[in-house]
Amino acid sequence: MRTIELQAPGGIENLKLVERPTPAPGRQEILIKVKASALNYRDVEIARGSYHSKFTLPLVLLSDGVGEVAAVGAEVSRFKVGDRVCGTFWQRWVAGSFAMAEASYQRGGPIDGMLSEYALLDEQAAVLAPAHLSDIEAATLACAGVTAWHALFTEGKLRPGETVLTLGTGGVSLFAVQLAKSAGARVIVTSSSDEKLARAKELGAHDGVNYRDNPEWAEAVLRLTDGRGADHIIEVGGPRSFAQSLNAAARCGQINVIGYLGGNDGSVNPLDIFRRQVTARGIPVGSRQSFEAMNRAIAVNGLRPVIDKVFPWYEAASALRYLEHGSPFGKVVLDHMQ
């Protein structure tokens, strides 16, 4: 089979198309023919050598993907040949708290990912893809979708009528918009682009704040909520935006820390957490249980992931550079059938 390896650290140019033996599924394993895969900023960082963990190379990138079961090993009971499945990010986190996740079993690093013609999955680390989604759409679910669901519903227990604030218009934030809207929540989105804010409103956001025009955007959020603030915040900016998120939070609100696109530097006054009795938690994607619950909600509501751009899978390097510099609205996807 053909696969694309990261053969050396320090640059996207170190991705190489190579031939590998097609693996045979062992006990309780399934082999899938990958139909599509999706990028996350984590993949850019791993390729660049700036990710917080270092992995043994060569490595096949990409945690997210969908494919058709081509073969099953002994004692497989959850899937059959021909099923269309998505792999999970955490290979051994089936349910329960994050204490059940094992760092050495993350797909796309340190375990080989989906940037290949075939991928070998443990049957416990896969879910059926929603039937109404295309392969391109289903490929986006494993990280961005599950992260938004796990933050808002598994951990956040989101209720109708509450206010959700999402920062930016990347994959996680747009999944949060769609999922929160379908649950009856009010959604506020921030962006530096009025055009992107308008598109977010078309997806279901109720209000938008341009943070370029409003550098103290927390004040704008408070005005929109009559001084109450947001009950749930999808925080992807990192330390630089966290102080603003604290100011924008309602009393007893929840801040879900997901990324650090704004950089690693910044400071937080813990008294601000105390004064508002805010809960701040890290969201490391989510369990298979969260993935399956999200897929049921996506199917019931007929939701479709937002796709920014699709590349042929062998142009993975170009896709990674686009994700790094292109400020996409939604997900960047690789088509493995081209």
Side-chain angles (χ1 to χ4, degrees):
M1 67 179 186
R2 294 180 299 166
T3 189
I4 296 177
E5 296 178 343
L6 178 66
Q7 296 186 335
I12 292 171
E13 63 275 7
N14 293 323
L15 290 170
K16 304 297 180 185
L17 182 66
V18 300
E19 290 280 345
R20 286 187 175 187
T22 303
R27 177 178 172 270
Q28 296 183 338
E29 290 181 330
I30 60 175
L31 180 71
I32 67 168
K33 179 173 177 55
V34 181
K35 297 295 189 69
S37 58
L39 278 58
N40 296 287
Y41 201 77
R42 175 180 188 264
D43 302 307
V44 173
E45 291 203 310
I46 293 172
R48 292 292 189 198
S50 57
Y51 192 60
H52 57 72
S53 298
K54 303 301 180 185
F55 303 125
T56 301
L57 302 179
L59 173 68
V60 180
L61 298 179
L62 306 192
S63 55
D64 295 16
V66 65
E68 181 178 307
V69 178
V72 299
E75 301 180 32
V76 168
S77 60
R78 299 189 69 238
F79 304 103
K80 65 182 183 302
V81 172
D83 284 344
R84 195 173 65 130
V85 303
C86 301
T88 62
F89 177 81
W90 293 98
Q91 299 296 279
R92 295 193 177 183
W93 187 8
V94 174
S97 74
F98 182 59
M100 303 303 294
E102 298 181 43
S104 58
Y105 287 90
Q106 299 171 76
R107 186 158 296 281
I111 293 176
D112 279 341
M114 295 290 195
L115 194 50
S116 182
E117 289 187 308
Y118 290 88
L120 196 63
L121 308 178
D122 188 296
E123 69 164 334
Q124 299 299 332
V127 302
L128 289 171
H132 74 288
L133 298 184
S134 68
D135 292 332
I136 296 299
E137 293 167 329
T140 69
L141 300 175
C143 275
V146 175
T147 297
W149 178 272
H150 197 76
L152 294 175
F153 298 97
T154 307
E155 296 286 355
K157 311 296 189 231
L158 176 67
R159 294 175 294 183
E162 292 185 323
T163 297
V164 173
L165 171 65
T166 70
L167 306 190
T169 53
V172 175
S173 294
L174 293 184
F175 270 112
V177 169
Q178 293 175 286
L179 293 168
K181 174 64 165 57
S182 70
R186 179 186 182 183
V187 183
I188 301 173
V189 178
T190 70
S191 174
S192 62
S193 163
D194 287 338
E195 178 187 357
K196 289 183 177 180
L197 290 175
R199 294 176 67 185
K201 289 179 182 178
E202 292 174 359
L203 289 173
H206 297 80
D207 298 287
V209 176
N210 187 316
Y211 61 77
R212 183 166 292 166
D213 296 339
N214 299 272
E216 300 298 318
W217 49 263
E219 295 178 2
V221 173
L222 292 174
R223 286 195 298 271
L224 288 169
T225 57
D226 296 323
R228 186 175 183 278
D231 301 290
H232 304 261
I233 299 176
I234 302 298
E235 169 57 71
V236 300
R240 292 183 183 179
S241 64
F242 191 87
Q244 290 270 6
S245 290
L246 275 174
N247 291 335
R251 294 178 66 185
C252 300
Q254 304 177 45
I255 301 177
N256 298 283
V257 180
I258 291 159
Y260 44 91
L261 294 177
N264 300 325
D265 298 327
S267 61
V268 174
N269 184 351
L271 288 178
D272 289 334
I273 298 175
F274 171 78
R275 292 185 186 105
R276 284 184 167 79
Q277 292 294 291
V278 167
T279 297
R281 66 170 73 89
I283 300 294
V285 191
S287 66
R288 193 190 85 198
Q289 184 180 53
S290 284
F291 202 160
E292 291 171 328
M294 178 194 71
N295 281 355
R296 291 192 294 271
I298 285 174
V300 166
N301 291 284
L303 300 181
R304 292 188 176 277
V306 180
I307 309 300
D308 180 272
K309 192 168 184 178
V310 180
F311 291 79
W313 79 280
Y314 51 83
E315 294 182 9
S318 296
L320 285 164
R321 292 188 181 98
Y322 175 76
L323 176 60
E324 184 177 23
H325 301 294
S327 187
F329 184 90
K331 295 296 292 182
V332 178
V333 182
L334 302 178
D335 186 350
H336 286 238
M337 304 310 293
Q338 292 192 39

